[in-house]
Amino acid sequence: MLIGELSRRTGVGTHLLRYYESQGLLEPGRGANGYREYTDDAILTVTQIRGLLEAGFSTEDIGLLLPCATGASPDIAPCTELLDVLRARLRGLDERIDALTQNRQALRSYLEAAERAPAIVCDPTR
């Protein structure tokens, strides 16, 4: 199938399909006319890519995960290198959540202090 058909069947724009190809996530063949030609397996691959992107993985991570992926969900086979990538990704998210929680607490403290203080006229442009 050509890229337009893959786009229609997956709901993913052709520009994104080309991007996935540039990232090494999709590998179409080429017809005699030079057009990209995808097999039916590409539909599953695109579905897996979309699912992994929605989980917050980078395209670099997805390149490591795809060989271990099965099914549309996708399910991931538990190979050692893959588990290391997943654990590192989870640690990174936990660190970001902790930092955002600290930011929120600091902002809340500033807001509460400002609400308790007597009103003054201030120039926010200074």
Side-chain angles (χ1 to χ4, degrees), residues 3 6 12 16-28 38 41-46 49 66:
I3 195 168
L6 181 60
V12 174
L16 278 177
L17 296 173
R18 287 185 198 97
Y19 175 73
Y20 299 159
E21 180 184 346
S22 75
Q23 297 298 300
L25 304 177
L26 275 178
E27 296 180 20
Y38 297 91
D41 292 342
I43 296 169
L44 176 61
T45 301
V46 171
I49 292 167
L66 274 180

Side-chain angles (χ1 to χ4, degrees), residues 98-120:
D98 291 344
L100 286 171
T101 298
Q102 290 175 2
N103 294 151
R104 182 181 61 203
Q105 289 170 342
L107 181 57
R108 184 175 287 132
S109 294
Y110 283 118
L111 179 60
E112 289 169 356
E115 288 175 338
R116 286 191 307 269
I120 60 170

Side-chain angles (χ1 to χ4, degrees), residues 19-111:
Y19 175 73
Y20 299 159
E21 180 184 346
S22 75
Q23 297 298 300
L25 304 177
L26 275 178
E27 296 180 20
R30 293 285 179 166
N33 57 8
Y35 290 173
R36 292 172 175 85
E37 292 184 353
Y38 297 91
T39 65
D40 286 340
D41 292 342
I43 296 169
L44 176 61
T45 301
V46 171
T47 302
Q48 291 171 336
I49 292 167
R50 299 302 299 164
L52 292 167
L53 285 169
E54 287 175 12
F57 289 104
S58 69
T59 54
E60 183 179 349
D61 290 340
I62 293 171
L64 298 171
L65 297 172
L66 274 180
C68 303
T70 60
S73 299
D75 295 323
I76 306 293
C79 59
T80 303
E81 292 129 358
L82 177 63
L83 291 174
D84 290 343
V85 169
L86 293 174
R87 286 185 185 112
R89 182 72 175 143
L90 185 58
R91 271 193 310 275
L93 284 174
D94 287 340
E95 290 168 4
R96 287 175 40 205
I97 290 168
D98 291 344
L100 286 171
T101 298
Q102 290 175 2
N103 294 151
R104 182 181 61 203
Q105 289 170 342
L107 181 57
R108 184 175 287 132
S109 294
Y110 283 118
L111 179 60

Side-chain angles (χ1 to χ4, degrees), residues 114 117-126:
I120 60 170
V121 176
C122 61
D123 181 1
T125 61
R126 293 191 324 145

